[in-house]
mmCIF file of all heavy atoms in Angstrom:
data_model
loop_
_atom_site.group_PDB
_atom_site.id
_atom_site.type_symbol
_atom_site.label_atom_id
_atom_site.label_comp_id
_atom_site.label_asym_id
_atom_site.label_seq_id
_atom_site.Cartn_x
_atom_site.Cartn_y
_atom_site.Cartn_z
ATOM 1 N N PRO F 812 -19.614 -6.697 7.147
ATOM 2 C CA PRO F 812 -18.949 -5.508 7.685
ATOM 3 C C PRO F 812 -19.830 -4.275 7.529
ATOM 4 O O PRO F 812 -20.429 -4.046 6.475
ATOM 5 C CB PRO F 812 -17.679 -5.394 6.825
ATOM 6 C CG PRO F 812 -17.431 -6.786 6.332
ATOM 7 C CD PRO F 812 -18.803 -7.371 6.111
ATOM 8 N N GLY F 813 -19.944 -3.502 8.575
ATOM 9 C CA GLY F 813 -20.770 -2.309 8.547
ATOM 10 C C GLY F 813 -22.233 -2.564 8.839
ATOM 11 O O GLY F 813 -23.012 -1.611 8.947
ATOM 12 N N GLY F 814 -22.624 -3.823 8.961
ATOM 13 C CA GLY F 814 -24.016 -4.159 9.234
ATOM 14 C C GLY F 814 -24.303 -4.237 10.720
ATOM 15 O O GLY F 814 -23.444 -3.974 11.567
ATOM 16 N N SER F 815 -25.542 -4.600 11.041
ATOM 17 C CA SER F 815 -25.948 -4.749 12.438
ATOM 18 C C SER F 815 -25.561 -6.130 12.961
ATOM 19 O O SER F 815 -25.360 -7.075 12.181
ATOM 20 C CB SER F 815 -27.456 -4.561 12.561
ATOM 21 O OG SER F 815 -27.848 -3.286 12.101
ATOM 22 N N GLU F 816 -25.472 -6.251 14.273
ATOM 23 C CA GLU F 816 -25.171 -7.538 14.882
ATOM 24 C C GLU F 816 -26.311 -8.521 14.592
ATOM 25 O O GLU F 816 -27.484 -8.208 14.831
ATOM 26 C CB GLU F 816 -25.000 -7.385 16.387
ATOM 27 C CG GLU F 816 -24.721 -8.688 17.112
ATOM 28 C CD GLU F 816 -24.551 -8.501 18.600
ATOM 29 O OE1 GLU F 816 -24.341 -7.342 19.052
ATOM 30 O OE2 GLU F 816 -24.633 -9.516 19.337
ATOM 31 N N PRO F 817 -26.001 -9.707 14.055
ATOM 32 C CA PRO F 817 -27.057 -10.690 13.779
ATOM 33 C C PRO F 817 -27.816 -11.056 15.056
ATOM 34 O O PRO F 817 -27.230 -11.137 16.141
ATOM 35 C CB PRO F 817 -26.286 -11.891 13.220
ATOM 36 C CG PRO F 817 -25.020 -11.307 12.670
ATOM 37 C CD PRO F 817 -24.684 -10.165 13.585
ATOM 38 N N ALA F 818 -29.111 -11.263 14.928
ATOM 39 C CA ALA F 818 -29.937 -11.602 16.088
ATOM 40 C C ALA F 818 -29.562 -12.954 16.667
ATOM 41 O O ALA F 818 -29.680 -13.182 17.875
ATOM 42 C CB ALA F 818 -31.416 -11.582 15.687
ATOM 43 N N VAL F 819 -29.119 -13.868 15.802
ATOM 44 C CA VAL F 819 -28.752 -15.218 16.245
ATOM 45 C C VAL F 819 -27.290 -15.482 15.862
ATOM 46 O O VAL F 819 -26.957 -15.486 14.675
ATOM 47 C CB VAL F 819 -29.656 -16.283 15.606
ATOM 48 C CG1 VAL F 819 -29.263 -17.673 16.081
ATOM 49 C CG2 VAL F 819 -31.127 -16.001 15.935
ATOM 50 N N PRO F 820 -26.400 -15.684 16.842
ATOM 51 C CA PRO F 820 -25.005 -15.983 16.522
ATOM 52 C C PRO F 820 -24.861 -17.394 15.978
ATOM 53 O O PRO F 820 -25.782 -18.223 16.076
ATOM 54 C CB PRO F 820 -24.301 -15.827 17.870
ATOM 55 C CG PRO F 820 -25.358 -16.097 18.882
ATOM 56 C CD PRO F 820 -26.647 -15.599 18.285
ATOM 57 N N ASP F 821 -23.721 -17.691 15.405
ATOM 58 C CA ASP F 821 -23.456 -19.034 14.897
ATOM 59 C C ASP F 821 -23.206 -20.026 16.036
ATOM 60 O O ASP F 821 -23.392 -21.232 15.856
ATOM 61 C CB ASP F 821 -22.255 -18.998 13.942
ATOM 62 C CG ASP F 821 -22.569 -18.232 12.669
ATOM 63 O OD1 ASP F 821 -23.319 -18.761 11.836
ATOM 64 O OD2 ASP F 821 -22.075 -17.099 12.524
ATOM 65 N N ALA F 822 -22.779 -19.541 17.172
ATOM 66 C CA ALA F 822 -22.640 -20.373 18.376
ATOM 67 C C ALA F 822 -22.623 -19.441 19.577
ATOM 68 O O ALA F 822 -22.106 -18.319 19.503
ATOM 69 C CB ALA F 822 -21.366 -21.208 18.331
ATOM 70 N N SER F 823 -23.197 -19.888 20.697
ATOM 71 C CA SER F 823 -23.227 -19.054 21.892
ATOM 72 C C SER F 823 -23.271 -19.939 23.126
ATOM 73 O O SER F 823 -23.578 -21.137 23.052
ATOM 74 C CB SER F 823 -24.427 -18.101 21.874
ATOM 75 O OG SER F 823 -25.644 -18.835 21.860
ATOM 76 N N GLN F 824 -23.019 -19.316 24.276
ATOM 77 C CA GLN F 824 -22.949 -20.089 25.514
ATOM 78 C C GLN F 824 -23.062 -19.172 26.717
ATOM 79 O O GLN F 824 -22.585 -18.037 26.701
ATOM 80 C CB GLN F 824 -21.608 -20.838 25.549
ATOM 81 C CG GLN F 824 -21.406 -21.731 26.757
ATOM 82 C CD GLN F 824 -20.015 -22.364 26.717
ATOM 83 O OE1 GLN F 824 -19.033 -21.716 27.027
ATOM 84 N NE2 GLN F 824 -19.958 -23.618 26.311
ATOM 85 N N THR F 825 -23.731 -19.651 27.768
ATOM 86 C CA THR F 825 -23.736 -19.000 29.077
ATOM 87 C C THR F 825 -23.384 -20.066 30.103
ATOM 88 O O THR F 825 -23.183 -21.233 29.771
ATOM 89 C CB THR F 825 -25.112 -18.391 29.407
ATOM 90 O OG1 THR F 825 -26.107 -19.419 29.325
ATOM 91 C CG2 THR F 825 -25.458 -17.265 28.441
ATOM 92 N N GLY F 826 -23.342 -19.657 31.366
ATOM 93 C CA GLY F 826 -22.985 -20.611 32.410
ATOM 94 C C GLY F 826 -21.518 -20.524 32.745
ATOM 95 O O GLY F 826 -20.810 -19.608 32.327
ATOM 96 N N GLY F 827 -21.033 -21.503 33.483
ATOM 97 C CA GLY F 827 -19.634 -21.491 33.881
ATOM 98 C C GLY F 827 -19.349 -20.362 34.850
ATOM 99 O O GLY F 827 -20.225 -19.891 35.578
ATOM 100 N N THR F 828 -18.122 -19.874 34.853
ATOM 101 C CA THR F 828 -17.692 -18.821 35.770
ATOM 102 C C THR F 828 -17.611 -17.498 35.032
ATOM 103 O O THR F 828 -17.047 -17.416 33.941
ATOM 104 C CB THR F 828 -16.307 -19.157 36.365
ATOM 105 O OG1 THR F 828 -16.375 -20.434 37.015
ATOM 106 C CG2 THR F 828 -15.878 -18.099 37.369
ATOM 107 N N ASP F 829 -18.165 -16.452 35.617
ATOM 108 C CA ASP F 829 -18.109 -15.129 34.998
ATOM 109 C C ASP F 829 -16.738 -14.488 35.212
ATOM 110 O O ASP F 829 -16.100 -14.675 36.256
ATOM 111 C CB ASP F 829 -19.188 -14.216 35.593
ATOM 112 C CG ASP F 829 -20.589 -14.651 35.203
ATOM 113 O OD1 ASP F 829 -20.716 -15.475 34.275
ATOM 114 O OD2 ASP F 829 -21.559 -14.171 35.826
ATOM 115 N N ALA F 830 -16.305 -13.711 34.223
ATOM 116 C CA ALA F 830 -15.036 -12.995 34.324
ATOM 117 C C ALA F 830 -15.242 -11.683 35.081
ATOM 118 O O ALA F 830 -16.270 -11.019 34.928
ATOM 119 C CB ALA F 830 -14.479 -12.708 32.933
ATOM 120 N N VAL F 831 -14.263 -11.317 35.893
ATOM 121 C CA VAL F 831 -14.326 -10.042 36.600
ATOM 122 C C VAL F 831 -13.969 -8.911 35.648
ATOM 123 O O VAL F 831 -14.620 -7.880 35.592
ATOM 124 C CB VAL F 831 -13.372 -10.049 37.813
ATOM 125 C CG1 VAL F 831 -13.362 -8.684 38.494
ATOM 126 C CG2 VAL F 831 -13.778 -11.140 38.785
ATOM 127 N N ASN F 832 -12.913 -9.083 34.889
ATOM 128 C CA ASN F 832 -12.527 -8.127 33.859
ATOM 129 C C ASN F 832 -11.707 -8.872 32.808
ATOM 130 O O ASN F 832 -11.221 -9.971 33.045
ATOM 131 C CB ASN F 832 -11.721 -6.947 34.437
ATOM 132 C CG ASN F 832 -10.514 -7.416 35.233
ATOM 133 O OD1 ASN F 832 -9.741 -8.260 34.784
ATOM 134 N ND2 ASN F 832 -10.343 -6.866 36.433
ATOM 135 N N LEU F 833 -11.586 -8.286 31.656
ATOM 136 C CA LEU F 833 -10.829 -8.900 30.563
ATOM 137 C C LEU F 833 -9.830 -7.868 30.049
ATOM 138 O O LEU F 833 -10.229 -6.804 29.589
ATOM 139 C CB LEU F 833 -11.768 -9.342 29.434
ATOM 140 C CG LEU F 833 -12.789 -10.421 29.792
ATOM 141 C CD1 LEU F 833 -13.747 -10.661 28.638
ATOM 142 C CD2 LEU F 833 -12.090 -11.720 30.159
ATOM 143 N N GLN F 834 -8.548 -8.208 30.127
ATOM 144 C CA GLN F 834 -7.540 -7.224 29.732
ATOM 145 C C GLN F 834 -6.478 -7.787 28.793
ATOM 146 O O GLN F 834 -5.748 -7.015 28.172
ATOM 147 C CB GLN F 834 -6.849 -6.638 30.969
ATOM 148 C CG GLN F 834 -7.764 -5.776 31.822
ATOM 149 C CD GLN F 834 -6.999 -5.012 32.879
ATOM 150 O OE1 GLN F 834 -5.781 -5.131 32.979
ATOM 151 N NE2 GLN F 834 -7.695 -4.214 33.668
ATOM 152 N N ASN F 835 -6.371 -9.096 28.646
ATOM 153 C CA ASN F 835 -5.309 -9.680 27.828
ATOM 154 C C ASN F 835 -5.885 -10.499 26.676
ATOM 155 O O ASN F 835 -6.849 -11.247 26.850
ATOM 156 C CB ASN F 835 -4.387 -10.561 28.670
ATOM 157 C CG ASN F 835 -3.635 -9.767 29.722
ATOM 158 O OD1 ASN F 835 -3.332 -8.601 29.510
ATOM 159 N ND2 ASN F 835 -3.341 -10.393 30.851
ATOM 160 N N LEU F 836 -5.278 -10.363 25.507
ATOM 161 C CA LEU F 836 -5.635 -11.129 24.326
ATOM 162 C C LEU F 836 -4.453 -12.021 23.966
ATOM 163 O O LEU F 836 -3.308 -11.579 24.000
ATOM 164 C CB LEU F 836 -5.948 -10.183 23.160
ATOM 165 C CG LEU F 836 -6.090 -10.805 21.767
ATOM 166 C CD1 LEU F 836 -7.368 -11.619 21.675
ATOM 167 C CD2 LEU F 836 -6.075 -9.709 20.704
ATOM 168 N N TYR F 837 -4.713 -13.297 23.636
ATOM 169 C CA TYR F 837 -3.603 -14.192 23.290
ATOM 170 C C TYR F 837 -3.842 -14.877 21.951
ATOM 171 O O TYR F 837 -4.965 -15.030 21.491
ATOM 172 C CB TYR F 837 -3.380 -15.240 24.386
ATOM 173 C CG TYR F 837 -4.460 -16.304 24.468
ATOM 174 C CD1 TYR F 837 -4.432 -17.422 23.626
ATOM 175 C CD2 TYR F 837 -5.498 -16.216 25.395
ATOM 176 C CE1 TYR F 837 -5.417 -18.400 23.698
ATOM 177 C CE2 TYR F 837 -6.475 -17.187 25.471
ATOM 178 C CZ TYR F 837 -6.430 -18.278 24.616
ATOM 179 O OH TYR F 837 -7.401 -19.250 24.682
ATOM 180 N N LEU F 838 -2.741 -15.283 21.320
ATOM 181 C CA LEU F 838 -2.759 -16.152 20.150
ATOM 182 C C LEU F 838 -2.015 -17.412 20.537
ATOM 183 O O LEU F 838 -0.905 -17.350 21.073
ATOM 184 C CB LEU F 838 -2.073 -15.484 18.949
ATOM 185 C CG LEU F 838 -2.705 -14.200 18.419
ATOM 186 C CD1 LEU F 838 -1.850 -13.630 17.300
ATOM 187 C CD2 LEU F 838 -4.113 -14.462 17.927
ATOM 188 N N LYS F 839 -2.587 -18.561 20.263
ATOM 189 C CA LYS F 839 -2.029 -19.832 20.697
ATOM 190 C C LYS F 839 -1.392 -20.572 19.533
ATOM 191 O O LYS F 839 -1.971 -20.670 18.457
ATOM 192 C CB LYS F 839 -3.125 -20.697 21.320
ATOM 193 C CG LYS F 839 -2.711 -22.126 21.656
ATOM 194 C CD LYS F 839 -1.715 -22.197 22.799
ATOM 195 C CE LYS F 839 -1.406 -23.640 23.180
ATOM 196 N NZ LYS F 839 -0.421 -23.740 24.249
ATOM 197 N N SER F 840 -0.193 -21.104 19.742
ATOM 198 C CA SER F 840 0.469 -21.936 18.739
ATOM 199 C C SER F 840 0.909 -23.227 19.415
ATOM 200 O O SER F 840 1.376 -23.225 20.545
ATOM 201 C CB SER F 840 1.691 -21.214 18.156
ATOM 202 O OG SER F 840 2.371 -22.058 17.258
ATOM 203 N N SER F 841 0.733 -24.345 18.725
ATOM 204 C CA SER F 841 1.101 -25.620 19.318
ATOM 205 C C SER F 841 1.405 -26.626 18.214
ATOM 206 O O SER F 841 1.063 -26.418 17.045
ATOM 207 C CB SER F 841 -0.037 -26.146 20.203
ATOM 208 O OG SER F 841 0.338 -27.338 20.867
ATOM 209 N N ALA F 842 2.050 -27.726 18.576
ATOM 210 C CA ALA F 842 2.367 -28.778 17.617
ATOM 211 C C ALA F 842 1.081 -29.310 16.990
ATOM 212 O O ALA F 842 0.094 -29.538 17.669
ATOM 213 C CB ALA F 842 3.134 -29.900 18.311
ATOM 214 N N GLY F 843 1.092 -29.497 15.675
ATOM 215 C CA GLY F 843 -0.066 -30.014 14.966
ATOM 216 C C GLY F 843 -1.022 -28.955 14.475
ATOM 217 O O GLY F 843 -1.948 -29.248 13.723
ATOM 218 N N TYR F 844 -0.807 -27.682 14.883
ATOM 219 C CA TYR F 844 -1.698 -26.610 14.444
ATOM 220 C C TYR F 844 -1.382 -26.165 13.022
ATOM 221 O O TYR F 844 -2.197 -25.514 12.385
ATOM 222 C CB TYR F 844 -1.567 -25.389 15.362
ATOM 223 C CG TYR F 844 -2.290 -25.519 16.685
ATOM 224 C CD1 TYR F 844 -2.574 -26.766 17.232
ATOM 225 C CD2 TYR F 844 -2.671 -24.394 17.392
ATOM 226 C CE1 TYR F 844 -3.212 -26.869 18.453
ATOM 227 C CE2 TYR F 844 -3.312 -24.492 18.618
ATOM 228 C CZ TYR F 844 -3.578 -25.741 19.144
ATOM 229 O OH TYR F 844 -4.212 -25.835 20.350
ATOM 230 N N ASP F 845 -0.188 -26.475 12.528
ATOM 231 C CA ASP F 845 0.261 -26.051 11.211
ATOM 232 C C ASP F 845 0.278 -24.527 11.155
ATOM 233 O O ASP F 845 0.772 -23.897 12.067
ATOM 234 C CB ASP F 845 -0.601 -26.678 10.108
ATOM 235 C CG ASP F 845 0.159 -26.776 8.779
ATOM 236 O OD1 ASP F 845 1.303 -26.314 8.725
ATOM 237 O OD2 ASP F 845 -0.401 -27.321 7.830
ATOM 238 N N THR F 846 -0.263 -23.902 10.113
ATOM 239 C CA THR F 846 -0.114 -22.456 9.926
ATOM 240 C C THR F 846 -1.454 -21.739 9.949
ATOM 241 O O THR F 846 -2.374 -22.115 9.238
ATOM 242 C CB THR F 846 0.578 -22.157 8.583
ATOM 243 O OG1 THR F 846 1.862 -22.784 8.573
ATOM 244 C CG2 THR F 846 0.747 -20.649 8.383
ATOM 245 N N TRP F 847 -1.544 -20.704 10.785
ATOM 246 C CA TRP F 847 -2.708 -19.816 10.820
ATOM 247 C C TRP F 847 -2.203 -18.399 10.589
ATOM 248 O O TRP F 847 -1.180 -18.001 11.150
ATOM 249 C CB TRP F 847 -3.397 -19.876 12.180
ATOM 250 C CG TRP F 847 -4.107 -21.155 12.474
ATOM 251 C CD1 TRP F 847 -3.540 -22.325 12.894
ATOM 252 C CD2 TRP F 847 -5.506 -21.411 12.373
ATOM 253 N NE1 TRP F 847 -4.501 -23.284 13.071
ATOM 254 C CE2 TRP F 847 -5.721 -22.751 12.756
ATOM 255 C CE3 TRP F 847 -6.600 -20.624 12.005
ATOM 256 C CZ2 TRP F 847 -6.978 -23.333 12.777
ATOM 257 C CZ3 TRP F 847 -7.861 -21.195 12.025
ATOM 258 C CH2 TRP F 847 -8.047 -22.547 12.409
ATOM 259 N N ASN F 848 -2.902 -17.637 9.786
ATOM 260 C CA ASN F 848 -2.551 -16.239 9.545
ATOM 261 C C ASN F 848 -3.668 -15.343 10.055
ATOM 262 O O ASN F 848 -4.827 -15.523 9.683
ATOM 263 C CB ASN F 848 -2.335 -15.972 8.049
ATOM 264 C CG ASN F 848 -1.141 -16.731 7.505
ATOM 265 O OD1 ASN F 848 -0.115 -16.809 8.162
ATOM 266 N ND2 ASN F 848 -1.286 -17.290 6.319
ATOM 267 N N PHE F 849 -3.322 -14.374 10.889
ATOM 268 C CA PHE F 849 -4.272 -13.381 11.382
ATOM 269 C C PHE F 849 -3.861 -12.045 10.778
ATOM 270 O O PHE F 849 -2.832 -11.490 11.143
ATOM 271 C CB PHE F 849 -4.237 -13.301 12.910
ATOM 272 C CG PHE F 849 -4.698 -14.549 13.610
ATOM 273 C CD1 PHE F 849 -3.844 -15.629 13.760
ATOM 274 C CD2 PHE F 849 -5.982 -14.645 14.115
ATOM 275 C CE1 PHE F 849 -4.260 -16.783 14.400
ATOM 276 C CE2 PHE F 849 -6.410 -15.794 14.761
ATOM 277 C CZ PHE F 849 -5.547 -16.876 14.906
ATOM 278 N N ASP F 850 -4.640 -11.532 9.824
ATOM 279 C CA ASP F 850 -4.208 -10.314 9.154
ATOM 280 C C ASP F 850 -4.685 -9.050 9.843
ATOM 281 O O ASP F 850 -4.123 -7.977 9.642
ATOM 282 C CB ASP F 850 -4.621 -10.309 7.677
ATOM 283 C CG ASP F 850 -6.129 -10.428 7.475
ATOM 284 O OD1 ASP F 850 -6.866 -10.317 8.468
ATOM 285 O OD2 ASP F 850 -6.542 -10.644 6.336
ATOM 286 N N THR F 851 -5.732 -9.120 10.667
ATOM 287 C CA THR F 851 -6.207 -7.949 11.404
ATOM 288 C C THR F 851 -6.846 -8.408 12.713
ATOM 289 O O THR F 851 -7.609 -9.368 12.715
ATOM 290 C CB THR F 851 -7.258 -7.155 10.606
ATOM 291 O OG1 THR F 851 -6.701 -6.756 9.357
ATOM 292 C CG2 THR F 851 -7.697 -5.906 11.362
ATOM 293 N N LEU F 852 -6.523 -7.741 13.804
ATOM 294 C CA LEU F 852 -7.152 -8.011 15.097
ATOM 295 C C LEU F 852 -7.727 -6.703 15.629
ATOM 296 O O LEU F 852 -7.009 -5.710 15.738
ATOM 297 C CB LEU F 852 -6.136 -8.575 16.095
ATOM 298 C CG LEU F 852 -5.628 -9.994 15.845
ATOM 299 C CD1 LEU F 852 -4.513 -10.332 16.816
ATOM 300 C CD2 LEU F 852 -6.763 -10.997 15.979
ATOM 301 N N ARG F 853 -9.009 -6.697 15.925
ATOM 302 C CA ARG F 853 -9.652 -5.518 16.493
ATOM 303 C C ARG F 853 -10.278 -5.890 17.834
ATOM 304 O O ARG F 853 -10.860 -6.956 17.977
ATOM 305 C CB ARG F 853 -10.752 -4.981 15.576
ATOM 306 C CG ARG F 853 -10.286 -4.403 14.249
ATOM 307 C CD ARG F 853 -11.460 -3.747 13.531
ATOM 308 N NE ARG F 853 -11.080 -3.182 12.254
ATOM 309 C CZ ARG F 853 -11.156 -3.837 11.093
ATOM 310 N NH1 ARG F 853 -11.600 -5.084 11.080
ATOM 311 N NH2 ARG F 853 -10.799 -3.253 9.981
ATOM 312 N N VAL F 854 -10.198 -4.975 18.787
ATOM 313 C CA VAL F 854 -10.848 -5.148 20.078
ATOM 314 C C VAL F 854 -11.676 -3.898 20.343
ATOM 315 O O VAL F 854 -11.167 -2.776 20.207
ATOM 316 C CB VAL F 854 -9.825 -5.357 21.210
ATOM 317 C CG1 VAL F 854 -10.526 -5.500 22.547
ATOM 318 C CG2 VAL F 854 -8.960 -6.589 20.925
ATOM 319 N N GLY F 855 -12.943 -4.059 20.692
ATOM 320 C CA GLY F 855 -13.795 -2.904 20.950
ATOM 321 C C GLY F 855 -14.887 -3.226 21.938
ATOM 322 O O GLY F 855 -15.041 -4.368 22.376
#
């Protein structure tokens, strides 16, 4: 936190179809997922 963006991400990808714009954020819940806790969500 507070540092610079790492030069090499832990995973990355290009290709596929490009998005025109991004406006919605979702959280997914399904059978077998058990419990996930999200204590903070930031978008910037």
Side-chain angles (χ1 to χ4, degrees):
S815 301
E816 178 180 344
V819 180
D821 293 287
S823 62
Q824 182 183 77
T825 56
T828 303
D829 291 346
V831 176
N832 54 48
L833 297 174
Q834 292 191 0
N835 296 329
L836 169 71
Y837 71 83
L838 297 176
K839 173 69 176 178
S840 176
S841 184
Y844 282 24
D845 205 357
T846 301
W847 290 79
N848 295 319
F849 295 80
D850 59 10
T851 302
L852 290 173
R853 293 187 180 92
V854 179

